[in-house]
Structure formats: structure tokens, C-alpha cells
Amino acid sequence: MKKAIAVILLGLMVFSLAPMVQLVKSATMPDSASITGVSLGLKDKAVLGPFSVQFVDVNPNWSKIYLQVDGPQGPLRYVLGQDGYFLYPNSANVYLNVSLVWIRYDTKSVLLEMRSPLQRILQGRELNVGDTITLPQGFPQIKIKLTSASDDQATFLVTMPYGDTHTLVIDEGAGGGVSYKLDDTHRYSNYMYIQLVSSNKNGPVTVDVYVPKIASTDFKIIKEGGEEKPPETPEQTVLVYNGLLYVGEKLPVEVDNTTYYVKMVSTIPDVVKVEVLKGDQSLGTMLLEVGDIPKNVPNTPLQLSVQSVEPDYKRATLRVYAPMGTEVTPILRQANLVAKIDAIPKEIMLTDDLVVTINVQNLGRGDAYDVNVAAPIPDDFELISMTKSWTLKNFPAFTNMPALIYVLRPTKVGEFEIGKAIVTFYDDKSLETGKKRVVYSQPLKGIKVYNIPAIDVSAQAYNGTWGNYVTASVNDTVKLKFEIRASEGNPDYEFIKNATLLLDLSSNLDGQPVIEIGTIRAGEVKTLQLDLKVLRENLTNIRATLIYLDPLGGQHRLDLGNLVTINSIPPKVIVEEVKVWPTPEELPKYVNETLAGMEDPQPLASELANISAYYLPKEEQSNPWKPTAIAFIILAVILAGIAYKYWDEAEKLREKLERKKHRRPGGLPKKEGEEAPEESEIAEL
């Protein structure tokens, strides 16, 4: 056990010797400063400045405790169970938040945590490296010195009134807090919190500084039966208002049932003029300069200072310090939201997208809350990017919401109205009633959507007849006719203009190569005709290209290819032998040769005999022997032809044998039997 205690003490010693450097990486700011480990026995009380929390009573089983809080708003009692908490004096105006951490039955005590909300006392203060600022009068004199800075980080040395120092390394957009030592046991955590608004290595850095609403550091625990010492210091003032005040507005401040009014008279750069009234009685005017310490207002318990001045908007950020318990009635201001909707360009093609922008401004003095912007989407358009509504939690006065951009795609041609942007929001006045306010933009009209109809081009040539292929001779004139047809649609929004037809006539034809057509609307048909002169012999394909502009002036080119062919090559004369019938004088010889060349000529001969018989005289037909004689004559002719054929074959065979006989003059004597083939051939013949 002793070793464990020694290790703990050694660790505490090392910790106490280490430099107090805090590296702050989070941009999350705590909402309050806190005092932890407040242990109270029955009837004990914890005192923080003008506030005290007393453990008054407990139920028999120690599951519920009774606490009494005394403060400027009067005494209040609370009943808490484990992990319970209460807000003093109420949730709308919190000075103190007390939580029950645990109940110790064995020691008859409770452990509490006391917290007070943080509030900003310095806003937009600029520091160069080496500069030091001190908390305003009425607060502990804590000093903040900027020791180094970069473009995204700054280092601060914080010196406490009792001599302790803290080094805070804070990233831009983040913050860091230091604790205030109340006594040997208790610390006020995050008593002072620094928010690094912007950092610059070559220039000043900008910071906001926060302290708790109960900024008193007078803390003690009074045991049962102990006497509370009277305060040795005069009554401290607290920051009761830190906000905007416009020229002409009066801020009501009630102190001990007396109402004072702080009225903004005028603003110039870094200086404001205010008037303080007690009821209807003016107590005089004061000039407040930005950066000055709070000034006492004569004949009042108030102190005033100014944080920033905006002469363009006739307003300033005013701080009012007053005794504990002071009530400030906030000024209810009305927001004035104006919405505008536009599109660029307002004339598009059907294949294009319409980019719509919505701008919202708050031109009023009051802030707007829970702002919702709804974008209009007409039926003939579809949303293709972004969302159709946006929400902004807080929209300060005299600011512009970033432009809202979304993209629509048209689904048909024509002239359309996009509609109105709808903005719903709360402001200070509508929060009182609970009803949202609604404003509309002017409608976005005159959006025109165009398209190009489908274009079809056909052509024909004429040189005696119309067709895609014609023949012509050199120096002939050929007519050429074009038909340009646009598909059906809306003629007001679907058309082409400045259409021109370019012809490729080559060097074989002479004519007009460029034909002006003009505008062709949907459903329209245009017919054009021109003359071409043939200059030389060739096979010429006439190609064409259509050049035109769409309704918005975009240029287009349509290659039509070969439309017409003109053949100016003359035909060639081809001589070819054609077999014709024999003349009547040649017919008998032709019939004779034909029958002689057939293997079985009898059927054809009979048919010829029947044909010949029809043309013979009647008396020759009555002779019964005459057909027989004719048949005999035809048969004799046939046999003569056959005999001639065999004779001709025999002559050819004899010549062949003669050639074989004289093929080998001289040489070896023939052997026996060599003559046998010749004899057999002769025998066959």
C-alpha cells in the first residue's frame, strides 16, 4: 500500500513540474464552466458568489434529497434522485445548473456538480504576436498574450491572477479553456475559454473570449453550524446583455424593480452615442468607443461598453453589466426575407439542362430561424441534380444566403413558367406566436425550350424521265430536283434556320453548287429545282451536305451522301455472230445433212414427210404409191448418207494405218506375228 501511495505522489510531482501546455484540436465548444467534487453533508451549503446551494433534507432510504438554492432571484427548493439535476432559476434564464452525481449513505453525504453557462465577453478582438489583453473590469484580471501564430494555428500564454500560467495551442476554428483555482480542492473548469476565429502568420489573429454567467471566483463550503462571513468585496456586476442594438431602439434593463432604458442614438466608425433613461427621464448621453473597458453610467448601477460598430446598418454590439438578478427584456425584431429566382439562359434546347438559382436575403433587423427554401419543379421538367429544398438554422439580419443552385431537364418543347420559390421561417415575433412566416419569390416565367425536327432530303434528276439514275450526253441539260422534309412537331419551337444545301458537282457538271433554303419548320416540305449542264463524259455521283442553324444559333452539318447519279458515257457497239435459219434454197441440203448425222433418222423423216405432204397438189396426194415412193426416196437418201458416213470413217482408218506402216523406216526385222494387228484392223474394216 505504501508503494502504491509513493507511486501516486511521484506521478503528481512529475505532473506538477511539466509545462502546462494544452493542444486543442477540437472545434466543439463546451456550453458551460463547471465545479466538480462538491461534497456536502446534511445541512452543509456550497457558496459561489451570491448563490448558495444547501443540502437541506433527505428521505429515510436516502433515495431522494432536498436542496435549497438562494440567489438574487429568491430561494427555491428542489427534489433530486440519482443522476437528477435542476436549473436555477428556470430553463429560460439559467444561471446555475446543479447535478446530483451520487448519494453516500455510509458517510451521509452527497456529491454535486455545479455548472454555469458560458457567455461571450470579448468578440472579434485582434491580436498581433506579442500583444496582451486583460479581461474587462469586474472580472478576474486574467491576461492573454499571443506568443506565436501561423496561418492555421496560434499559441497563447494565459496568466492567472494568482500567478499560474497556461499555454494554449489552438487550431483555427477551434478553442481552448483554462481552469480557475478556487481553493486547494476545487477548480472552476473552463472558466475562461478562447475561440480562435482566424489565424494569420503575417497579421493579427482574431479571438472571442468567454466566461461563465456566474463569473464570481468566491467559492466556499460552509459546514453545518458554521457561520457565513459577510462578503468583503462590493457587489459584483455581471454581463446581462451582449447583443445588437439599432439606432432608435431602447433596451429595457430592470434592476431592483427600477427600469432603465439604454437607447442607441447614433453610430460612426468605432464610436457610438447612447442615451440612458430612468423610466421616461433622461439621465444623459455617453460616447462609447470600441475596445474601451466598461464605463459606469452615472446615477445607475449599470456599466456599458461597445464591442463593434456597423455604421452601414446603424447598429452596434453593446454590452450591459448590472448587479446579479438584473433582468433584460429582449427586443423583438422582425426579419424581412426576400427571395429571387432566375435561370440563365432562359432559352434552351430540348437536349440541354436548365440551371436555376435562388437567392435569399434578410433585409430586416431581426434574425430568421429554421429557414426552409423550397424550389419549384414544373410538370414538364425533371430534377436531375441537387435537392429541391434547403434548410438554414440561423439567418442573421442583413446577410445573404449562399445561392441555391439546382438543375432541371425539359421533357417537351414550348414556353413554360417554372414557378415561385417558397421560403418559410421564424423570427423573434413569430416565435412568440409559434406560427411560421411564409414569403414567395416572383414567378420565373418565359422559359423557352426548342428542338430540331428530323430532316430528310431526297433528290431526283430528269433527262426524259425522273429518277436517281439518268443518262445524258455531253452538253445536255439535266434538271435536278430536291425535296427537304421536316418531321411533324410544334412549328413554333421545332425548326431549323439559315439552311443551305452544298452540292459536290465535280468538274463534269456545271451548275449552282450552293442552294439557299432558309427556315424549315416542323411538318414543312420544301422543293427546289435547278439545271445542270453535262461538260464531259463520265459517271458522276452528286453528293450533298446540308448546313443549318438550330433555333438558338448553334451550327449543324448533315452529310447526305450520294443522292443522284448521271451517266454521260456513250454506249459501245458490240458485234456478235448470231446463228440464223437456212434459206429455202439451202433447206433441202440442210435437211439431208441433218438426217445423215442422226443415228435413228426415221422418226424425223416421217414427220418431215407428213409436213411436205400437206403442201403437195391433191392429185399427187390421191396416188397411193406416191407416199411410198416419197418414203423410198427419203430412205434412199438416208442410206446414202449412212454409206457416206461409213466411207468417210474407212478413209480415216486407212490413213491411220498408212501412217503406222511408215512410222519406222529401216530398223530391226519384224518378228513373227507383228503383222497380225494390221490384218485384224483391215479385217474389222
Side-chain angles (χ1 to χ4, degrees):
M1 184 67 182
K2 292 181 179 180
K3 290 183 178 180
I5 296 174
V7 171
I8 294 173
L9 292 175
L10 179 60
L12 293 174
M13 184 180 298
V14 172
F15 179 78
S16 64
L17 295 176
M20 300 182 68
V21 178
Q22 302 180 33
L23 297 178
V24 181
K25 299 297 181 183
S26 173
T28 303
M29 176 181 167
D31 58 358
S32 61
S34 62
I35 305 172
T36 59
V38 180
S39 179
L40 298 179
L42 192 59
K43 305 300 182 179
D44 292 349
K45 68 171 62 173
V47 179
L48 178 62
F51 296 85
S52 67
V53 180
Q54 185 176 16
F55 180 17
V56 177
D57 204 353
V58 64
N59 65 351
N61 62 359
W62 282 74
S63 61
K64 301 285 185 181
I65 66 169
Y66 301 86
L67 299 177
Q68 177 174 315
V69 180
D70 291 295
Q73 284 75 22
L76 293 174
R77 282 201 171 194
Y78 302 90
V79 178
L80 298 180
Q82 184 67 42
D83 299 326
Y85 72 93
F86 64 84
L87 305 176
Y88 178 87
N90 53 58
S91 59
N93 183 27
V94 180
Y95 276 87
L96 192 61
N97 181 351
V98 179
S99 301
L100 175 60
V101 181
W102 46 251
I103 301 174
R104 290 288 301 272
Y105 177 75
D106 54 345
T107 60
K108 300 294 188 292
S109 64
V110 295
L111 189 66
L112 304 177
E113 179 183 6
M114 301 172 62
R115 292 183 293 171
S116 181
L118 290 176
Q119 61 182 4
R120 185 166 52 194
I121 61 169
L122 296 177
Q123 180 180 12
R125 292 299 296 267
E126 294 185 347
L127 294 173
N128 290 304
V129 174
D131 289 352
T132 300
I133 57 174
T134 304
L135 295 189
Q137 184 180 0
F139 297 95
Q141 295 300 289
I142 301 175
K143 297 182 178 179
I144 305 168
K145 181 178 181 180
L146 177 64
T147 58
S148 65
S150 65
D151 287 337
D152 56 5
Q153 194 178 77
T155 303
F156 301 90
L157 179 64
V158 180
T159 303
M160 309 302 289
Y162 44 82
D164 288 356
T165 60
H166 303 266
T167 299
L168 299 180
V169 181
I170 305 176
D171 291 339
E172 186 177 52
V178 296
S179 299
Y180 195 96
K181 182 179 178 181
L182 300 175
D183 54 32
D184 294 337
T185 306
H186 302 94
R187 289 181 176 273
Y188 210 157
S189 299
N190 287 322
Y191 179 84
M192 187 199 68
Y193 192 88
I194 303 173
Q195 185 81 18
L196 182 58
V197 179
S198 64
S199 184
N200 189 344
K201 68 178 181 180
N202 297 322
V205 302
T206 305
V207 299
D208 293 342
V209 180
Y210 297 79
V211 297
K213 202 168 184 180
I214 303 177
S216 175
T217 57
D218 182 14
F219 177 80
K220 54 184 172 291
I221 295 179
I222 301 175
K223 297 295 183 180
E224 181 184 8
E227 294 183 0
E228 185 176 349
K229 296 180 180 180
E232 298 178 357
T233 58
E235 184 180 13
Q236 292 182 334
T237 60
V238 296
L239 182 64
V240 295
Y241 183 78
N242 182 20
L244 291 172
L245 195 64
Y246 287 85
V247 172
E249 289 183 340
K250 294 192 299 183
L251 180 69
V253 182
E254 184 178 350
V255 184
D256 295 333
N257 297 323
T258 300
T259 302
Y260 299 91
Y261 295 95
V262 180
K263 180 181 178 181
M264 185 71 66
V265 177
S266 63
T267 59
I268 61 174
D270 296 330
V271 179
V272 300
K273 183 179 181 180
V274 297
E275 181 183 9
V276 180
L277 300 94
K278 184 178 181 181
D280 296 332
Q281 179 186 0
S282 176
L283 301 179
T285 60
M286 301 175 62
L287 293 178
L288 303 177
E289 188 174 351
V290 174
D292 281 351
I293 63 174
K295 292 184 177 181
N296 293 317
V297 180
N299 302 319
T300 71
L302 306 180
Q303 291 180 325
L304 302 178
S305 69
V306 64
Q307 177 68 18
S308 62
V309 182
E310 298 174 273
D312 292 340
Y313 302 117
K314 296 183 178 181
R315 67 183 183 182
T317 301
L318 189 70
R319 291 197 183 95
V320 179
Y321 302 87
M324 291 287 187
T326 299
E327 293 186 359
V328 177
T329 303
I331 298 175
L332 300 181
R333 302 184 181 96
Q334 188 169 354
N336 180 17
L337 267 57
V338 177
K340 296 180 180 179
I341 185 171
D342 199 3
I344 300 176
K346 293 185 178 180
E347 294 184 350
I348 61 173
M349 299 297 294
L350 185 62
T351 56
D352 296 338
D353 294 333
L354 182 68
V355 179
V356 184
T357 59
I358 300 176
N359 291 283
V360 183
Q361 294 177 289
N362 185 358
L363 303 179
R365 290 183 170 186
D367 293 353
Y369 313 101
D370 291 333
V371 182
N372 182 271
V373 183
I377 302 176
D379 293 338
D380 297 319
F381 290 79
E382 58 181 2
L383 180 68
I384 66 170
S385 72
M386 300 299 290
T387 182
K388 58 184 179 181
S389 64
W390 294 263
T391 301
L392 192 65
K393 287 297 181 183
N394 189 26
F395 194 8
F398 300 108
T399 58
N400 297 335
M401 181 182 289
L404 310 177
I405 301 175
Y406 65 105
V407 181
L408 299 175
R409 180 167 294 168
T411 58
K412 60 185 293 187
V413 299
E415 184 172 353
F416 303 96
E417 177 179 324
I418 300 300
K420 302 177 181 179
I422 304 173
V423 183
T424 59
F425 63 96
Y426 290 103
D427 57 15
D428 292 340
K429 290 189 175 181
S430 61
L431 282 174
E432 294 290 318
T433 62
K435 293 182 179 181
K436 274 193 171 185
R437 294 182 57 195
V438 182
V439 296
Y440 300 89
S441 70
Q442 292 293 325
L444 177 55
K445 299 180 180 180
I447 301 300
K448 296 181 180 180
V449 181
Y450 297 93
N451 194 24
I452 300 174
I455 302 297
D456 178 68
V457 179
S458 61
Q460 285 188 323
Y462 179 81
N463 192 23
T465 58
W466 290 100
N468 300 107
Y469 179 92
V470 296
T471 59
S473 301
V474 176
N475 295 325
D476 281 358
T477 298
V478 178
K479 293 185 180 297
L480 196 59
K481 181 173 66 175
F482 293 93
E483 186 177 85
I484 301 95
R485 182 185 301 273
S487 62
E488 295 296 329
N490 188 333
D492 294 330
Y493 295 95
E494 293 183 272
F495 59 88
I496 63 174
K497 59 185 181 180
N498 295 351
T500 303
L501 196 62
L502 304 181
L503 303 182
D504 182 10
L505 302 178
S506 70
S507 60
N508 303 321
L509 302 172
D510 182 26
Q512 182 181 349
V514 179
I515 306 173
E516 300 291 340
I517 302 174
T519 299
I520 305 176
R521 300 186 178 274
E524 185 179 1
V525 179
K526 282 195 174 183
T527 303
L528 306 172
Q529 186 170 312
L530 70 153
D531 293 337
L532 300 177
K533 185 176 182 180
V534 180
L535 300 179
R536 52 177 58 87
E537 298 177 357
N538 208 334
L539 185 65
T540 306
N541 291 320
I542 300 178
R543 299 176 60 85
T545 302
L546 183 66
I547 299 176
Y548 60 91
L549 301 181
D550 60 40
L552 299 183
Q555 191 173 32
H556 300 266
R557 187 182 185 93
L558 179 61
D559 187 3
L560 303 173
N562 296 329
L563 296 178
V564 172
T565 300
I566 298 177
N567 186 2
S568 59
I569 301 175
K572 293 181 179 180
V573 178
I574 301 175
V575 179
E576 185 177 349
E577 234 179 83
V578 180
K579 188 173 181 179
V580 298
W581 297 101
T583 62
E585 291 78 12
E586 298 173 336
L587 183 59
K589 182 179 177 182
Y590 176 75
V591 172
N592 185 27
E593 292 177 353
T594 300
L595 293 174
M598 298 176 64
E599 292 184 2
D600 185 13
Q602 186 173 355
L604 179 58
S606 299
E607 188 175 352
L608 291 174
N610 293 333
I611 294 173
S612 301
Y614 179 78
Y615 294 97
L616 293 176
K618 297 296 182 180
E619 58 273 10
E620 295 182 8
Q621 295 181 15
S622 61
N623 189 352
W625 297 103
K626 196 172 286 186
T628 304
I630 293 171
F632 178 78
I633 293 171
I634 294 173
L635 181 61
V637 172
I638 292 172
L639 292 177
I642 293 173
Y644 173 79
K645 179 180 179 183
Y646 278 101
W647 176 82
D648 183 60
E649 293 293 334
E651 284 297 320
K652 290 179 181 178
L653 182 58
R654 185 181 61 80
E655 291 176 0
K656 181 177 180 182
L657 293 177
E658 288 294 329
R659 285 196 300 272
K660 288 184 178 182
K661 186 183 295 184
H662 297 87
R663 187 175 294 169
R664 295 180 297 177
L668 297 176
K670 294 182 176 64
K671 297 181 181 180
E672 291 184 7
E674 284 186 352
E675 299 296 337
E678 186 178 351
E679 291 176 359
S680 62
E681 288 180 7
I682 295 173
E684 288 179 13
L685 181 59

